[in-house]
Amino acid sequence: VLSAQLRAPRPDAWLHLLNPQSGTGCALQLFHSIVQPMLVEAGMTFTLFVTEKPNHARELVRAGDLSQWDTMVVLAGDGLLYEVLNGLMERQDWQAALQKPLCTLPAGSGNALAASINHYAGNTHVLKEKLLINCTYFLCKGLHAPMDLVSLSTASGKRLFSFLSFGWGFISDVDIASEKYRKLGNARFTVGTVQQLAALRVYKGRLAYLPVETSSSVVPAPGALRSSHGGPEDSLLVPFDQPVPSHWTIVPEEEFILIFAIYQSHLGADFTMVPKAKLHDSSIHLFYLKAGVSRLVLLKLFLAMEKGTHLELTCPQLHYIPVRAFRLEPFAATGLMTVDGEPLACEPVQGQVHDQLCRIISG
Ligand code: ADP
Ligand code: MG
């Protein structure tokens, strides 16, 4: 891992993008009490940009002159990093822009990437201020490593870039329903889980995927999806009006409790979905839970997720497959989907992993 890392040349000019509404609304306070003293101690220079509204940071990085910045630091939750990433992908010079390391400093209610990076570094599991201190320390050290990204395309023509997850069903509903409890910080997900258990729903659709195992022996699909939006071409995907390539696997069941694709180890600071995941492992870790599972089993699965032992419960309805690409076609627009924890209207979606597309400050 160390050989893949590079040291950023000094002195660095860092742009800190901060969402004052993140999490419990304390991001600015955390910056002044924890981050700034550590940066000063390390002799770092920085500029602070406080967002005033959603998409403010996205517009700034999409249209702004980035040449003056070496590293863009996001002090917020996963949502603001998702904005910044998609803003960068909308640039003409997206390839060059993605070579600048990004950094996530956790100050939101969902800090999954920060928790994952802390885990990859071999650190013990920590929350809140301790996680922020660890991540600020990584920033001061300045090591960065490549990170895989997933491009997602929808039937209505949207194209999105994702560093964390795509989901439909139970987990996505918890994420969205618990938004109103964001003042609870990370505990919002526990409250949301209990609430959604009471209102358990079935999600009907067709799921297909390209397993990691078979993908290496097969040449790319003939009619690869050309991008009209910039960004890399999706060589593994074909347009929605064509069936998935014949070497893909089509899931026989069509009734699900949840479908969740994650590309990092952690889904939240308290949820370890894939302990073995890496920043770049060319994999989308795909989970699906078939209908027919009791509320009690579902609750047990969620409690096991804290430590990442949910697969050890060998629940027959829970499936896990590492894949390079997937397609999900809902039969009805039930609930919302989520991308990196942010809502997406329910419609057919397909995605594929792009190896080492950006760089991120890591331990
Ligand atoms: P959290 O982890 O608490 O959800 P995020 O950083 O993920 O925190 O931000 C949540 C949402 O807030 C994102 O969708 C982002 O676009 C939006 N946002 C960014 N800046 C602001 C702002 N100044 N006011 C309100 N919302 C904002
Ligand atoms: Mg968020």
Side-chain angles (χ1 to χ4, degrees):
V1 174
L2 263 180
S3 64
Q5 293 182 328
L6 293 174
R7 180 163 269 281
R10 300 280 174 81
D12 269 4
W14 292 343
L15 174 63
H16 285 254
L17 300 160
L18 185 151
N19 174 4
Q21 303 297 329
S22 270
T24 52
C26 300
L28 200 52
Q29 194 192 320
L30 289 169
F31 179 79
H32 290 303
S33 63
I34 294 178
V35 180
Q36 191 172 16
M38 286 179 74
L39 300 184
V40 169
E41 184 83 12
M44 302 298 184
T45 53
F46 58 86
T47 301
L48 181 63
F49 179 89
V50 178
T51 64
E52 287 162 13
K53 54 184 190 291
N55 288 319
H56 199 183
R58 183 179 184 140
E59 279 148 30
L60 180 85
V61 305
R62 176 173 50 207
D65 170 17
L66 303 181
S67 62
Q68 50 189 317
W69 312 116
D70 297 303
T71 302
M72 273 175 288
V73 182
V74 174
L75 190 82
D78 296 309
L80 195 67
L81 183 60
Y82 173 72
E83 252 193 37
V84 167
L85 180 68
N86 282 281
L88 291 172
M89 291 306 303
E90 285 159 8
R91 294 176 66 91
Q92 291 284 321
D93 64 348
W94 61 271
Q95 253 164 323
L98 287 191
Q99 287 312 305
K100 284 180 202 289
L102 296 168
C103 174
T104 175
L105 295 183
S109 50
N111 304 305
L113 183 60
S116 300
I117 287 172
N118 187 63
H119 171 75
Y120 305 144
N123 290 343
T124 50
H125 174 78
V126 285
L127 293 172
K128 298 182 181 166
E129 282 85 355
K130 285 186 178 152
L131 183 60
L132 178 58
I133 290 168
N134 284 1
C135 292
T136 309
Y137 179 64
F138 297 154
L139 176 62
C140 292
K141 278 204 301 183
L143 296 174
H144 44 93
M147 181 164 77
D148 295 339
L149 294 176
V150 168
S151 76
L152 296 168
S153 307
T154 73
S156 69
K158 293 191 193 90
R159 192 173 194 221
L160 309 162
F161 288 86
S162 164
F163 61 88
L164 176 63
S165 64
F166 165 80
W168 187 45
F170 191 82
I171 297 179
S172 300
D173 285 351
V174 168
D175 214 341
I176 288 161
S178 66
E179 267 292 325
K180 57 179 176 289
Y181 306 121
R182 55 193 304 118
K183 288 272 177 264
L184 296 176
N186 199 45
R188 80 176 225 215
F189 299 112
T190 311
V191 175
T193 300
V194 171
Q195 202 182 50
Q196 288 301 308
L197 272 174
L200 201 56
R201 283 194 282 185
V202 171
Y203 300 79
K204 295 182 188 173
R206 187 172 299 121
L207 176 63
Y209 56 80
L210 174 62
V212 165
E213 291 162 11
T214 39
S215 66
S216 52
S217 60
V218 174
V219 290
L225 203 62
R226 290 227 154 256
S227 164
S228 54
H229 300 259
E233 182 184 311
D234 290 327
S235 61
L236 302 175
L237 306 179
V238 295
F240 280 104
D241 58 12
Q242 292 172 30
V244 295
S246 59
H247 58 288
W248 284 41
T249 303
I250 298 173
V251 175
E253 292 82 8
E254 299 184 332
E255 298 197 343
F256 304 94
I257 299 292
L258 67 86
I259 292 168
F260 207 79
I262 182 161
Y263 355 114
Q264 305 292 346
S265 60
H266 284 61
L267 165 61
D270 265 342
F271 291 95
T272 318
M273 280 291 268
V274 192
K276 65 170 187 192
K278 298 273 180 290
L279 268 183
H280 55 97
D281 53 11
S282 313
S283 302
I284 296 172
H285 301 273
L286 178 66
F287 290 84
Y288 64 90
L289 184 64
K290 292 186 290 184
V293 64
S294 71
R295 286 189 174 82
L296 182 62
V297 169
L298 193 52
L299 183 61
K300 280 184 182 159
L301 284 173
F302 269 77
L303 293 175
M305 242 177 242
E306 197 179 325
K307 299 266 181 295
T309 56
H310 44 288
L311 287 176
E312 290 163 28
L313 296 179
T314 59
C315 166
Q317 284 89 2
L318 181 63
H319 292 250
Y320 163 67
I321 322 99
V323 307
R324 296 223 198 279
F326 69 91
R327 177 186 283 185
L328 171 61
E329 292 162 291
F331 295 156
T334 314
L336 290 170
M337 295 172 157
T338 50
V339 180
D340 296 358
E342 300 294 306
L344 176 71
C346 182
E347 61 166 315
V349 174
Q350 56 181 351
Q352 80 158 70
V353 65
H354 288 275
D355 292 355
Q356 310 194 12
L357 201 56
C358 70
R359 302 196 69 87
I360 189 103
I361 295 283
S362 55

